[in-house]
Amino acid sequence: MTGAPRTAGAAPLHGIGVGGGTASGPVARMAPPPALPAPRTVADAELPAEVAAARAALAAVADDLARRAAAADGEAADVLTALGMMAADPALADSAEAQVREGQDAPHALAEAFAGFAATLRAAGGYFAERVADLEDLRDRAVAHALGLPMPGLPDPGHPYVLVAADLAPADTALLDPARVRALVTEEGGPTSHTAILAKILGLPAVVACPGAASLTDGTPVLVDGGAGTVLADPSAERVAAAAAEEERRRRAAARVGGPGRTADGHPVRLMVNLGAPHELSAAAAADSEGVGLFRTEFLYLDRTTAPDAEEQSAAYRQVFEAFAGRRVVVRTLDAGADKPLPFATAADEPNPALGVRGLRTAVRDPGLLDTQLAAVAEAAHGTTADVWVMAPMVSVPAEALAFAEQAREHGLRTVGAMVEVPAAALRAGRLAEVCDFLSIGTNDLAQYAFAADRMLGSLAGLLDPWQPALLELVRQTAEAGAAQGRPVGVCGEAAADPLLALVLVGLGVTSLSAAPGCLADVRASLASRTLEECRELARLALAALDAASARTRVAEASAGTA
Ligand code: PEP
Ligand code: MG
């Protein structure tokens, strides 16, 4: 990392806050990746040794990851095992050997081999492109080994620290010990990056897509605010003490309240969890929630080249319904495309996948896919005590919602909804609500489409800020239209995870909130501290604000005033 060191009293750095809460501590930065020296000419006589060095580097990385996987458990072990297998892929070693035989030295041959694999993933786009970071991490480790340098990875300053990095790779994030790492700050990454996801799972405050993070030097004390998305270098002792007191208050408040969500005056707000990959199931089921508000079924099949049949799908869904017996599970049908391409459902040649055939639109091109899924959901729901609801992603017009509702009901699924993720759907939410039983607002995509800002780009995070008054206006219209038809309207995008914004959403008329399991306790405590009328007043303030920052500030100030 480069950049001029920051001086005391400087303004805070701003990025995307993730995970909520605050934490302070000295900065420790990730060991930088090795720099490749100038290429060395490899004489014919040296070829066997150079090939052996390249292969040995890959084997060492694979062994190291396997050893670390054996020492870890749960998700960390899975991630490390998967990475170790990637490093052990014989195709990678063969490719590196081929590069050496063309005259490259081992470090350059390794870099070339990884570059070839990364290009393939990048071309596949979306989820696969995000995996390029995994390959780059493996490359750095292998190249470091071939150069005789220590492998890059997590720092170990011998005391708790705030981890600062360009971005985090899964091999690092999987090993993070929340007892040592107090907070995460990354220059790159976005709201859906590994860092962001991990921070929420571990309950660590994090700020991602934070320009200027590179200027933070080792040992600099920082105060990280995952709610506001700020990183303050050299904070005063008073600031740190105030943040720690606030953090303690937050923890106590969260621990005090449990059970169904409600405001201080008893207005019910259903609190549910978002569920994606299967390994999240046990933590999600263990969380104090009223069910699953968003079951992202496409996460089960991201690496599949052929569509799962009804039997395979219903077995997967049944596991979830059983884990949530007696509770609600809102199954979202496959949201294939854009940032989550499914090889068996997504065209690879669309010039602009976010505006292409994704979500429910996939069903027009391949009606059998949706029909099989609905049959599988109905089959899995049969005989469980879970209250199974089903909803479609990326609905744009009422006719799509109607067709979906009719198709789902033909399969015996009784409670059918539409996601509101496209501004057109929000503007005509009343018409959607006429043909559906409920609406669920996906604020991540609704922001992307309302602001014409790619949600994968950290550099556009300001536009994607869920406090944007224009986004809140679309939420208001949707909630009011739903209420007029007597339909529940939930929010299942990342906005629902913010305890302060949750008050505003409820004030706008939202009836349920669904978020990562680790975020629910804070949201519940926040709701319990305000009456519905206070939430409405906060919503009015947010809507009247000029921009996202002032909406947040005004609501924070007013909320502090009524606490
Ligand atoms: C959303 O868009 O807000 C949403 C919940 O769906 P996803 O993030 O899976 O696209
Ligand atoms: Mg979405």
Side-chain angles (χ1 to χ4, degrees), residues 332 335 340 358 419 421 445 455:
R332 187 205 22 218
D335 185 18
K340 293 165 290 197
R358 67 166 288 199
M419 286 192 76
E421 308 185 273
D445 276 313
R455 64 187 267 188

Side-chain angles (χ1 to χ4, degrees), residues 79-361:
V79 172
L80 291 166
T81 304
L83 285 169
M85 283 165 68
M86 242 194 233
D89 186 340
L92 205 48
D94 291 348
S95 168
E97 171 164 350
Q99 299 292 337
V100 173
R101 295 201 180 281
E102 280 176 23
Q104 304 235 43
D105 58 34
H108 285 87
L110 288 162
E112 279 294 318
F114 278 106
F117 278 63
T120 310
L121 285 188
R122 215 174 265 120
Y127 172 83
F128 294 99
E130 284 191 19
R131 300 282 75 74
V132 167
D134 302 2
L135 276 184
E136 288 171 346
D137 173 53
L138 294 177
R139 175 203 59 202
D140 290 343
R141 289 164 194 268
V143 168
H145 187 278
L147 290 170
L149 299 172
M151 285 189 205
L154 287 174
D156 186 8
H159 51 71
Y161 60 99
V162 172
L163 179 63
V164 176
D167 203 355
L168 295 181
D172 310 310
T173 52
L175 287 180
L176 279 185
D177 177 359
R180 304 214 89 185
V181 179
R182 290 188 175 158
L184 311 174
V185 179
T186 60
E187 178 110 8
E188 291 153 27
T192 58
S193 65
H194 254 290
T195 313
I197 293 165
L198 191 92
K200 282 191 180 158
I201 292 173
L202 293 180
L204 287 175
V207 177
V208 299
C210 182
S215 66
L216 296 168
T217 48
D218 276 334
T220 305
V222 288
L223 177 61
V224 180
D225 187 333
T230 56
V231 182
L232 180 64
D234 299 308
S236 66
E238 294 76 42
R239 285 290 286 270
V240 172
E246 171 59 21
E247 191 60 19
E248 186 52 29
R249 192 203 58 74
R250 187 180 74 87
R251 278 208 197 97
R252 282 178 195 221
R256 253 198 317 270
V257 221
R262 55 189 68 247
T263 57
D265 54 335
H267 172 71
V269 182
R270 187 175 273 268
L271 295 181
M272 295 186 284
V273 292
N274 288 352
L275 177 64
H279 64 76
E280 295 171 18
L281 181 57
S282 55
D288 181 1
S289 84
E290 291 182 74
V292 179
L294 169 64
F295 176 15
R296 290 179 161 112
T297 55
E298 65 281 356
F299 272 74
L300 301 177
Y301 307 115
L302 286 174
D303 55 354
R304 293 285 297 264
T305 51
T306 55
D309 63 19
E311 210 175 23
E312 179 183 346
Q313 288 189 57
S314 73
Y317 304 152
R318 190 170 296 116
Q319 273 192 6
V320 174
F321 300 160
E322 280 168 8
F324 281 88
R327 291 188 277 179
R328 180 179 301 168
V329 179
V330 183
V331 181
R332 187 205 22 218
T333 55
L334 296 174
D335 185 18
D339 54 312
K340 293 165 290 197
L342 295 182
F344 58 85
T346 310
D349 55 355
E350 284 185 353
N352 202 339
L355 302 181
V357 181
R358 67 166 288 199
L360 184 60
R361 298 170 185 182

Side-chain angles (χ1 to χ4, degrees), residues 333-336 357-366 370 374 391-397 399-405 407 417-418 421:
T333 55
L334 296 174
D335 185 18
V357 181
R358 67 166 288 199
L360 184 60
R361 298 170 185 182
T362 310
V364 176
R365 198 177 50 209
D366 185 355
L370 177 59
L374 292 172
M391 67 181 180
M394 280 295 287
V395 173
S396 306
V397 293
E400 289 172 345
L402 178 61
F404 175 76
Q407 197 175 347
E421 308 185 273

Side-chain angles (χ1 to χ4, degrees), residues 436-530:
C436 290
D437 301 302
F438 70 98
L439 300 176
S440 182
I441 306 174
T443 44
N444 308 336
D445 276 313
L446 191 55
Q448 157 163 269
Y449 296 120
F451 292 90
D454 187 338
R455 64 187 267 188
M456 305 298 284
L457 283 184
S459 58
L460 297 180
L463 291 172
L464 296 162
D465 189 328
W467 283 88
Q468 285 284 0
L471 179 69
L472 299 177
E473 178 58 38
L474 290 169
V475 172
R476 182 190 68 76
Q477 289 197 25
T478 307
E480 282 184 6
Q485 305 282 339
R487 304 282 191 254
V489 177
V491 167
C492 61
E494 295 307 307
D498 177 337
L500 193 60
L501 187 52
L503 300 174
V504 171
L505 297 175
V506 168
L508 293 172
V510 164
T511 60
S512 69
L513 299 166
S514 189
C519 303
L520 285 193
D522 284 343
V523 172
R524 179 183 287 109
S526 179
L527 293 178
S529 69
R530 299 289 180 283

